[in-house]
Amino acid sequence: MKRETTNKIRFVIEDILPPILRDSKLFLWIAQSAWGSHISHLARFRERAPFLTADEYAELYRNHPRVHAGTDNSDACIRRIVSEIAGSSVCDVGCGTGALLTHIKAGNPNLTRVTGVDFVIDDAAALPGVEYVAAKIESLPFADGEFDTVVCTHVIEHVLEYRQAIAELRRIARKRLIIVVPREREYRYTFNPHFNFFPYTHSFLRAVHPVPLRHVCEDIGRDIFYREDREG
């Protein structure tokens, strides 16, 4: 399923349905009819967020059904990211299947180093011309300013220590940092294992505080696109 399709579904269940219905047992029953008991498992996962072990965290993501085909990014976000790459080296933190890196490489043929990072890299390991590193976003095994551009899409919403994660992204980015998160509201029962929710652009700006003067933060569909220039 494409991101554009799920965005339409999200508009109905997040913005049209009233909260009293969205958090109700009736909604849970309907959601379970479509997606099974995994909905309840996700609710318990978020409730136990501060107490999860690393193994529990990794197990959920290995077993979580993949909703989107290849990438969580919409076509509009992909085009924007590809056009905003600066310099000759790029690192995609939370690369997933590597689909976004494929678009970045095709749109920026002068890149000399392309790196993908995820804590599980099984899906991406077959893509040619990409260096893959298994690591957690909260502790990236790279030097300060090692990459001209660092990209991180649909990851921050999953990370409990998100401020530490953002600090690491900034640390390894020399010229530019690009982050994309879904623009969504929090409810008890959801179809994703998110910890953090950003219903407005200013919600995300609070998360990345302090914000540099050279930045862009705007809506692209139902996603928030954020870019900051690290030098110049």
Side-chain angles (χ1 to χ4, degrees):
M1 190 180 300
K2 289 180 68 64
R3 181 74 179 186
E4 287 79 0
T5 302
T6 58
N7 280 347
K8 294 175 183 177
I9 298 171
R10 287 174 54 216
F11 172 72
V12 174
I13 65 175
E14 292 177 14
D15 292 351
I16 301 299
L17 292 183
I20 193 170
L21 177 59
R22 189 64 169 76
D23 281 341
S24 70
K25 294 295 184 180
L26 174 61
F27 180 85
L28 174 62
W29 179 79
I30 295 171
Q32 285 181 328
S33 299
W35 227 36
S37 61
H38 192 61
I39 295 290
S40 297
H41 185 48
L42 287 173
R44 291 193 296 271
F45 178 77
R46 276 188 298 277
E47 290 169 1
R48 295 190 58 249
F51 315 106
L52 291 171
T53 67
D55 288 342
E56 287 176 312
Y57 188 88
E59 181 182 5
L60 181 127
Y61 280 94
R62 286 192 177 94
N63 296 330
H64 184 65
R66 179 165 290 146
V67 176
H68 297 116
T71 177
D72 287 343
N73 290 291
S74 66
D75 290 341
C77 273
I78 292 172
R79 290 193 297 270
R80 182 65 177 273
I81 293 165
V82 169
S83 69
E84 297 275 7
I85 300 299
S88 60
S89 59
V90 64
C91 180
D92 180 10
V93 180
C95 63
T97 64
L100 179 58
L101 283 173
T102 300
H103 290 285
I104 290 173
K105 283 184 61 182
N108 296 272
N110 294 326
L111 288 172
T112 59
R113 184 183 182 189
V114 178
T115 302
V117 176
D118 216 315
F119 72 93
V120 177
I121 58 172
D122 299 344
D123 290 336
L127 290 176
V130 178
E131 166 195 11
Y132 292 101
V133 178
K136 294 183 66 176
I137 187 174
E138 301 94 331
S139 181
L140 296 171
F142 304 114
D144 294 358
E146 185 161 339
F147 299 94
D148 289 330
T149 297
V150 173
V151 178
C152 182
T153 67
H154 298 280
V155 175
I156 298 301
E157 64 270 21
H158 297 272
V159 180
L160 196 59
E161 298 288 348
Y162 69 90
R163 293 192 184 276
Q164 181 179 344
I166 292 168
E168 277 291 274
L169 296 173
R170 284 171 162 160
R171 181 184 66 80
I172 68 170
R174 187 168 72 88
K175 292 184 176 181
R176 180 163 290 173
L177 171 61
I178 297 171
I179 300 175
V180 175
V181 295
R183 180 170 56 81
E184 62 180 340
R185 305 177 190 279
E186 181 173 7
Y187 294 98
R188 180 177 297 276
Y189 305 113
T190 71
F191 296 90
N192 51 56
H194 295 173
F195 292 144
N196 309 305
F197 298 85
F198 310 103
Y200 308 105
T201 53
H202 62 260
S203 307
F204 186 69
L205 288 176
R206 289 197 296 269
V208 296
H209 178 78
V211 181
L213 290 177
R214 293 170 58 87
H215 79 278
V216 172
C217 188
E218 59 190 29
D219 293 337
I220 297 181
R222 295 191 62 84
D223 296 307
I224 296 172
F225 175 90
Y226 174 81
R227 186 203 77 211
E228 68 179 43
D229 291 338
R230 304 297 299 158
E231 66 173 24

